[in-house]
Amino acid sequence: MDMEDLFNRSIEHKAQFWKEQAGEIRWTKFPEQILTDGENGYPQWFADGELNICHLCIDQHIEDGFGDQPAVIYDSPVTGKKSTYTFSQAKEEISKLAGGLISLGLKKGDTAVIYMPMIPQTLFAMLACARIGVIHNVVFGGFAPHELVVRIDDCKPRALITATAGIEIARRIPYLPLVEKAIELAQDKVEHIIVYNRHLTENRHELFEGITDYEDLVQRSEPADCVPVESTHPLYLLYTSGTTGKPKGITRDTGGYATALKFSMKYIYGVAPGETYWAASDFGWAVGHSFSVYGPLINRNTTVIFEGKPVMTPDAGTFWRIISEYKVSVMFTAPTAIRAIKKEDPDGELVKKYDLSHFRKQFLAGERCDVSTLDWFEKHIGVPAIDHWWQTESGWPMLGLMTFDEQYKIKRASAGKPIPGYDIKIFDENGYELDAHHEGYLVIKLPLPPGALLGIWNDHERFFNSYLSQYKGYYFSGDGAIRDEDGYVFITGRVDDVINVAGHRLSTSEMEEIVSSHPDVAECAVVGIDDELKGQIPFATVVVKNGSAISEEALEADIVKMVREKIGAVACLKNVMTVKRLPKTRSGKILRKLIRTLLDGKDFQVPSTIDDEKIIEEIQEKIQLYRSK
Ligand code: COA
Ligand code: AMP
């Protein structure tokens, strides 16, 4: 069966199609209700099914006789450590940690925040929660305390699982002072702080009072069995940037997600059980959830946990070393990682050191991939680089290629065709479908397939307003796109205030809130400008208050510090330019797109609604001055 047949069946006979796919995973109660209207009319999959996803990831493989297969490989060039856990060893640790969580009083339906680096204990913590129906929320380790506070206040965790430190190349990032600060600032008390001591150079005094030691907890606890949960039980919350300062708690179900991931591993990634599959993403992002943990483990693949960077740990050959050492057959990363490698190793000299004969396919997502990066990859690595598109909200790819069928055809710069289940259309402003080669809004006809978001945690109104209110009966993706005559889709970028910095999704509105809070700032606009390495980086254009004597340099230094402290270094806001005034429409709206175009030095059309055209020249002059600093 080819991609087109699968796609057509998934749209025309959706219930039957997904019932068959659900049959590919094990349920404690197979669903009779396949597709129903959930709360508030939003479609729900497999409502009366029951299962446990930790069982699918771990226990079922042991029951099937694969207990000795490596489940998890940990490779940490930043600490010089490597280790492997078989499915049986992983079960031992996960089930005891789950028992430990029960002994602390956690139960199905509670929430737990996991704020940890790229170590196996993070994966164990996620699966221990899933084992007993505790809803986890993994917070990217690069986020500052304020981001942790927002999440704690929204999902009210009973436990926070963390580690003593992360490592950024050679820099140790102590987590506990960050956690301590977050706990101090959070509205509600978190009952249990569980800390994995990495025994790096920590001193006992760093561990504050009242914490539970992760290893003690595991050692003293009895293993817990998997608790079957309803298919629609939230497996996790994953906060992502939206168009306001407050991140959205994307809520994921259990049964639909497991079904979609099993489908993805087979049809999209074309990877067979038993092979090694590596998604080089942090656990804190959607890719880390779906394709470092749940997808490969459900499919009985060995997954790789890499604690390092694509470059400098120790060099730009580190990805190829891992692929060769662990016989990785399929890999997934963000284009920015390949760009970083290409910059360091333009002639692919480091690639030649490694045997990549097991490597079949490279998947890329998270941001647009430029053609020169694809060219470099294919020339030096010699395997297909396959772009595909998805979002935290979908949890699995929406555009891509079904590479299980070796006839798949890549079109450069396209993220592929709609994946089965995703009835993708490109609409104009008024909701009319556009013909090929016309740019518009990428929308998806409801119902979304299994695995896509259940909603936004505790905020149905925001869920409705963010995704369902723009075009009745359609999901609004927030991305612009063009389709060609063969059905391939080209993503043109976000149509809202979300930007992607080195594959990290961030909100410019959130940054604007921080910049505006500076006492000398009257108003500001933060936009994402093009960056050769990171794809996009934020740039702040600021109007200072009348009478303020602050210099541009001092203001820039203050703002850079404030953003680092509130969001984290990953925000990468390093440029702040002062202007006399911001370009606005006659009704007073800031023309952010115009500012972005001017900063990128691209051709532009003067917006018909602009209040005063002269401001364009003013800003262009200022940009020249700023750039020549
Ligand atoms: N904890 C603490 N700090 C972190 C961090 C973490 N987990 N992750 C990043 N940071 C810090 C970095 O140290 C850096 O700090 P600095 O400004 O003081 O130097 C800052 O945040 C920016 O980090 P990053 O954007 O990662 O830039 P980089 O120059 O360190 O690395 C890349 C550039 C391209 C190599 C890196 O961004 C990368 O590997 N990106 C891929 C992202 C990815 O996999 N995304 C998932 C989607 S598939
Ligand atoms: P995230 O939710 O962090 O996965 O970010 C999702 C956003 O990243 C999308 O809405 C897109 O704007 C962007 N994105 C993801 N994959 C691609 C891709 N293959 N090409 C272009 N943009 C992408």
Side-chain angles (χ1 to χ4, degrees):
M1 189 180 293
D2 69 10
M3 176 158 181
E4 219 161 299
D5 291 338
L6 271 179
F7 180 79
N8 291 339
R9 280 218 313 123
S10 78
I11 302 300
E12 284 156 22
H13 307 284
K14 26 182 103 57
Q16 183 55 29
F17 181 86
W18 288 110
K19 184 178 178 185
E20 281 164 27
Q21 298 310 323
E24 300 291 315
I25 60 165
R26 277 180 219 172
W27 300 75
T28 44
K29 177 172 181 281
F30 192 80
E32 280 171 23
Q33 298 172 17
I34 302 300
L35 176 59
T36 44
D37 270 353
E39 236 178 286
N40 305 304
Y42 183 68
Q44 254 187 13
W45 290 96
F46 313 134
D48 63 344
E50 278 181 15
L51 75 171
N52 182 283
I53 202 165
C54 181
H55 183 266
L56 300 186
C57 288
I58 305 291
D59 302 52
Q60 71 163 344
H61 306 311
I62 301 168
E63 289 161 16
D64 291 348
F66 297 101
D68 293 335
Q69 182 193 312
V72 178
I73 291 170
Y74 168 56
D75 189 301
S76 169
V78 294
T79 57
K81 288 190 182 143
K82 292 179 186 178
S83 51
T84 298
Y85 298 81
T86 63
F87 281 105
S88 298
Q89 288 165 332
K91 180 181 170 189
E92 165 100 14
E93 174 109 359
I94 293 162
S95 58
K96 289 177 98 184
L97 179 59
L101 294 177
I102 293 175
S103 74
L104 296 176
L106 274 86
K107 56 180 191 320
K108 180 180 164 222
D110 287 339
T111 51
V113 162
I114 300 175
Y115 182 58
M116 291 178 94
M118 289 302 292
I119 53 176
Q121 288 69 25
T122 313
L123 176 147
F124 298 151
M126 292 164 79
L127 288 168
C129 288
R131 194 168 183 87
I132 55 171
V134 167
I135 305 162
H136 62 68
N137 166 227
V138 181
V139 180
F140 172 55
F143 278 139
H146 168 74
E147 292 292 323
L148 200 48
V149 173
V150 172
R151 286 153 175 82
I152 291 173
D153 284 345
D154 195 61
C155 78
K156 309 202 181 327
R158 290 197 61 201
L160 190 153
I161 310 174
T162 187
T164 43
I167 302 157
E168 276 293 292
I169 307 184
R171 182 161 49 110
R172 189 171 152 266
I173 313 275
Y175 279 18
L176 295 185
L178 309 177
V179 169
E180 213 168 359
K181 189 159 173 207
I183 287 166
E184 216 178 275
L185 296 172
Q187 280 164 11
D188 295 288
K189 196 175 164 313
V190 183
E191 271 171 72
H192 304 285
I193 312 293
I194 302 163
V195 181
Y196 178 73
N197 191 343
R198 299 193 66 188
H199 302 287
L200 294 169
T201 51
E202 290 87 3
N203 295 318
R204 201 65 208 168
H205 71 259
E206 277 194 33
L207 306 174
F208 52 85
E209 249 180 63
I211 61 139
T212 303
D213 183 85
Y214 174 107
E215 280 176 307
D216 284 352
L217 185 66
V218 170
Q219 266 161 32
R220 67 168 192 251
S221 298
E222 290 299 317
D225 284 337
C226 293
V227 174
V229 299
E230 309 82 64
S231 176
T232 52
H233 179 72
L235 169 63
Y236 64 76
L237 312 177
L238 184 55
Y239 287 81
T240 192
S241 302
T243 49
T244 70
K246 190 177 173 227
K248 301 182 275 200
I250 300 301
T251 310
R252 185 84 56 219
D253 74 329
T254 304
Y257 186 54
T259 303
L261 294 183
K262 179 73 186 165
F263 177 84
S264 305
M265 298 310 290
K266 175 172 175 182
Y267 289 103
I268 302 173
Y269 299 107
V271 62
E275 291 189 293
T276 305
Y277 174 95
W278 177 30
S281 160
D282 193 280
F283 289 125
W285 309 114
V287 182
H289 283 65
S290 299
F291 297 113
S292 297
V293 181
Y294 292 107
L297 293 180
I298 290 173
N299 200 43
R300 193 170 52 77
N301 294 118
T302 303
T303 185
V304 181
I305 301 175
F306 169 63
E307 190 180 27
K309 298 257 173 186
V311 291
M312 289 190 288
T313 51
D315 59 27
T318 196
F319 272 21
W320 322 127
R321 191 229 351 125
I322 291 199
I323 290 173
S324 151
E325 196 166 325
Y326 306 116
K327 299 188 170 41
V328 172
S329 41
V330 176
M331 190 200 171
F332 181 163
T333 191
T336 188
I338 305 296
R339 285 198 295 269
I341 295 171
K342 173 177 141 217
K343 188 163 165 250
E344 295 296 310
D345 187 18
D347 299 322
E349 290 303 325
L350 293 165
V351 185
K352 295 179 192 146
K353 286 171 61 181
Y354 302 100
D355 169 14
L356 303 183
S357 53
H358 287 85
F359 190 28
R360 289 201 308 271
K361 287 170 207 148
Q362 173 72 60
F363 286 85
L364 298 168
E367 45 158 348
R368 208 179 65 78
C369 186
D370 50 289
V371 170
S372 68
T373 300
L374 290 176
D375 284 344
W376 180 89
F377 189 89
E378 282 170 12
K379 177 169 175 203
H380 295 289
I381 314 300
V383 306
I386 303 159
D387 192 1
H388 63 328
W389 171 83
W390 55 298
Q391 305 177 311
T392 305
E393 288 85 344
S394 65
W396 62 288
M398 298 187 275
L399 286 172
L401 298 172
M402 305 291 277
T403 73
F404 81 101
D405 172 5
E406 289 298 333
Q407 305 303 311
Y408 70 91
K409 283 195 185 61
I410 296 176
K411 252 196 203 187
R412 303 193 140 225
S414 163
K417 293 184 174 188
I419 291 291
Y422 288 101
D423 193 359
I424 289 178
K425 313 265 179 216
I426 296 172
F427 276 4
D428 72 4
E429 260 334 301
N430 303 314
Y432 290 106
E433 194 171 356
L434 288 166
D435 292 334
H437 303 290
H438 288 276
E439 183 175 353
Y441 300 109
L442 192 156
V443 299
I444 304 162
K445 193 169 191 299
L446 297 177
L448 296 179
L453 76 171
L454 273 183
I456 294 182
W457 187 247
N458 277 340
D459 203 344
H460 185 77
E461 200 181 323
R462 190 170 182 202
F463 171 55
F464 180 80
N465 290 335
S466 306
Y467 305 109
L468 307 178
S469 64
Q470 293 81 350
Y471 301 107
K472 196 170 182 318
Y474 291 84
Y475 166 87
F476 182 76
S477 71
D479 275 294
I482 301 174
R483 191 197 291 263
D484 75 5
E485 60 287 350
D486 300 324
Y488 282 78
V489 179
F490 299 74
I491 298 292
T492 53
R494 296 289 306 193
V495 296
D496 56 15
D497 304 328
V498 169
I499 58 171
N500 249 291
V501 181
H504 307 139
R505 176 165 160 183
L506 299 161
S507 156
T508 53
S509 316
E510 185 175 9
M511 294 187 212
E512 282 184 4
E513 278 178 25
I514 299 169
V515 177
S516 307
S517 70
H518 189 286
D520 288 288
V521 171
E523 61 176 343
C524 72
V526 178
V527 296
I529 61 165
D530 292 345
D531 182 76
E532 220 180 297
L533 176 67
K534 298 194 178 192
Q536 281 186 306
I537 47 165
F539 192 109
T541 309
V542 172
V543 178
V544 292
K545 282 186 183 156
N546 271 345
S548 158
I550 194 162
S551 69
E552 189 169 62
E553 288 70 25
L555 185 65
E556 186 166 75
D558 280 0
I559 288 176
V560 167
K561 186 160 170 271
M562 283 165 76
V563 172
R564 274 180 87 95
E565 276 173 8
K566 280 242 156 159
I567 300 179
V570 276
C572 278
L573 177 69
K574 299 207 166 134
N575 296 297
V576 180
M577 177 177 84
T578 56
V579 290
K580 279 197 249 136
R581 51 196 183 134
L582 293 169
K584 290 189 184 166
T585 61
R586 281 186 284 278
S587 60
K589 276 195 181 151
I590 298 174
L591 288 161
R592 291 185 173 77
K593 195 169 167 202
L594 174 67
I595 301 176
R596 197 173 74 207
T597 317
L598 292 173
L599 285 165
D600 283 334
K602 289 186 180 151
D603 292 342
F604 62 91
Q605 277 192 331
V606 177
S608 57
T609 53
I610 195 165
D611 180 34
D612 179 1
E613 223 181 295
K614 279 199 226 104
I615 198 170
I616 296 180
E617 232 168 87
E618 252 172 61
I619 295 203
Q620 280 176 319
E621 278 169 20
K622 186 64 214 265
I623 292 172
Q624 259 189 355
L625 208 67
Y626 181 83
R627 299 255 191 246
S628 63
K629 268 200 312 190

